[in-house]
């Protein structure tokens, strides 16, 4: 590390968030770059399991070593220059300025993401599939990395296996873009349009490169967002799970519907008058809708289609009886 | 959580010693200063974003 100039930034006030653009719900995030601000690679990234599922001192050492190699290439003029992304600043978001700069409060990373989304909501540019469900999980594609070894694949199943990926492969490119670390991979994967049906990767195997096309499964972008719950709105204060095909069949519900079983109800639900759901309830419809091209559960449907403050009606099966109840969604305010 | 624990331990240790160091690595806290030093030394930059410990 002594071959690097090391700098640690704990406040985002003056950071170019256009250049240093990443999922703001990361505890740690690193960039390896040069004095001309060309980024060689990122290091970091996480998933719903843990903040450090993909952080490892061995893979960090590999990344640092590669960064030095790329720096030598840059100095020798043999590394392609990359166009600098459009600059951006936390000060460009008036609601964020009001919440942080004006009161002297810390401009926390997650607040930048949250307020960018609030402004997108206001401007009508919020795309929930992209902006709420950031950092899709490669395990949904069947890719399990050997984390200490960077982008070496440890196990393959599902769509990645069907595409021809093998254990021991090194993932080298995502849709043509060179990637060196899991953070590079996750950042690039996040750029895949949510309507895409396939994505292409290049792997290195035995010194040769091989292009693979992976068929993206339904809801490939869907992740466990509980660790970023302060960034997900609207709030409806319950958790659920999609019913299995067998459960739907038994209850006489459509196989392609988003009926779901309530698994948890927060005490906040009654405090704020959001709904009167109970654990074990089966939600069969929201505002009369029983199916949707994106949602596989009632909570996901509400997240995708309701704006904080919206009301609606839930159709619920409770103790074998079908009942209706009002729903009121809430905008969380205490962290914003 | 081992990685986070290791990084946090290094930071707390540095705070306890009142020195901006992890082992003998000097950590700058100013990005512009890092750019300046990188230009002067020809070194690449290792930039860390994190919440204040």
């Amino acid at each position: 590390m002594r071959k690097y100039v090391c700098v640690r930034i704990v406040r985002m006030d003056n950071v170019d968030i256009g250049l240093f653009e990443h999922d703001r719900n990361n505890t740690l995030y690193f960039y390896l770059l040069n004095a001309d601000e060309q980024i060689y690679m990122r290091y970091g990234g996480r998933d719903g399991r843990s903040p450090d599922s993909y952080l490892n001192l061995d893979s960090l050492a590999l990344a640092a070593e590669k960064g030095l190699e790329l720096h030598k290439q840059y100095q020798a003029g043999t590394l392609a220059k990359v166009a600098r992304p459009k600059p951006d600043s936390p000060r460009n978001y008036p609601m964020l300025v009001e919440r942080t700069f004006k009161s002297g409060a810390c401009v926390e990373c997650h607040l930048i993401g949250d307020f960018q989304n609030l402004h997108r909501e206001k401007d009508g540019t919020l795309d929930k599939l992209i902006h709420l469900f950031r950092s899709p999980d490669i395990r949904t594609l069947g890719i399990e990395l050997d984390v200490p070894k960077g982008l070496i694949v440890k196990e393959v199943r599902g769509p990645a296996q069907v595409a021809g990926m093998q254990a021991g492969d090194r993932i080298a490119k995502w849709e043509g873009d060179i990637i060196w670390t899991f953070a590079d991979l996750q950042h690039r994967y996040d750029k895949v349009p949510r309507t895409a049906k396939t994505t292409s990767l290049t792997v290195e195997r035995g010194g040769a490169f091989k292009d693979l096309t992976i068929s993206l499964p339904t809801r490939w972008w869907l992740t466990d967002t509980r660790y970023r719950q302060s960034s997900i709105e609207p709030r409806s204060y319950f958790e659920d799970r999609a019913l299995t095909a067998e459960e739907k069949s038994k209850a006489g519900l459509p196989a392609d519907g988003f009926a779901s079983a309530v698994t948890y109800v927060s005490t906040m639900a009654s405090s704020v008058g959001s709904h009167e759901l109970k654990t074990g309830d089966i939600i069969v419809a929201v505002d009369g809708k029983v199916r949707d091209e994106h949602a596989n559960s009632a909570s996901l449907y509400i997240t995708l289609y309701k704006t904080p403050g919206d009301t609606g009606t839930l159709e619920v099966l409770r103790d074998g009886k079908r009942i209706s109840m009002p729903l009121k969604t809430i905008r969380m305010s205490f962290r914003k | 959580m081992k990685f986070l624990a290791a990084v946090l331990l290094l930071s707390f240790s540095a705070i306890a010693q009142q020195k901006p160091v992890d082992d003998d690595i000097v950590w700058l806290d100013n990005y512009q200063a890092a750019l300046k030093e990188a230009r002067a030394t020809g070194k690449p930059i290792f930039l860390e974003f994190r919440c204040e410990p």
Side-chain angles (χ1 to χ4, degrees), chain A residues 2 9 29 33 37 52 71, chain B residues 1 24 31 42 45 48-49:
Chain A
R2 282 185 291 277
I9 304 297
Y29 211 87
L33 69 157
E37 299 188 291
D52 64 354
H71 188 58
Chain B
M1 300 296 281
D24 56 350
Y31 179 65
I45 297 168
E48 174 185 337
F49 288 112

Side-chain angles (χ1 to χ4, degrees), chain A residues 176-227:
Chain A
D177 290 339
I178 295 172
I179 52 176
W180 296 112
T181 63
F182 174 74
D184 285 347
L185 179 157
Q186 193 174 47
H187 187 259
R188 185 60 190 82
Y189 184 26
D190 198 23
K191 303 294 177 203
V192 175
R194 298 305 190 249
T195 52
K197 301 295 180 199
T198 62
T199 190
S200 61
L201 282 75
T202 305
V203 297
E204 185 182 10
R205 184 186 304 159
F209 289 91
K210 188 174 174 56
D211 295 329
L212 307 175
T213 300
I214 297 182
S215 294
L216 293 166
T218 308
R219 283 179 288 277
W220 57 272
W221 44 266
L222 182 60
T223 54
D224 183 348
T225 56
R226 282 176 292 185
Y227 73 89

Side-chain angles (χ1 to χ4, degrees), chain A residues 7-26:
Chain A
V7 56
R8 176 176 291 142
I9 304 297
V10 296
R11 288 184 64 105
M12 302 297 285
D13 307 37
N14 299 310
V15 171
D16 180 348
I17 56 173
L19 178 62
F20 300 113
E21 195 283 318
H22 58 264
D23 181 349
R24 304 294 172 193
N25 284 99
N26 276 277

Side-chain angles (χ1 to χ4, degrees), chain A residues 1-10 12 15 20 22 27-35 37 50-52 55-57 60 68 71 75, chain B residues 1-4 6-7 11 22 24-31 34-35 37-39 41-53:
Chain A
M1 292 302 292
R2 282 185 291 277
K3 292 177 181 172
Y4 282 88
V5 174
C6 296
V7 56
R8 176 176 291 142
I9 304 297
V10 296
M12 302 297 285
V15 171
F20 300 113
H22 58 264
T27 311
L28 292 168
Y29 211 87
F30 305 88
Y31 288 85
L32 278 59
L33 69 157
N34 61 35
E37 299 188 291
S50 163
D52 64 354
L55 302 181
N56 177 276
L57 291 173
L60 178 61
L68 292 174
H71 188 58
Q75 288 176 314
Chain B
M1 300 296 281
K2 284 180 185 169
F3 183 94
L4 282 179
V7 172
S11 299
D22 291 345
D24 56 350
I25 300 168
V26 175
W27 284 88
L28 303 177
D29 61 4
N30 183 304
Y31 179 65
L35 287 178
E37 187 173 330
R39 276 189 208 104
T41 60
K43 290 181 178 179
I45 297 168
F46 185 85
L47 168 62
E48 174 185 337
F49 288 112
R50 63 177 297 174
C51 283
E52 211 155 4

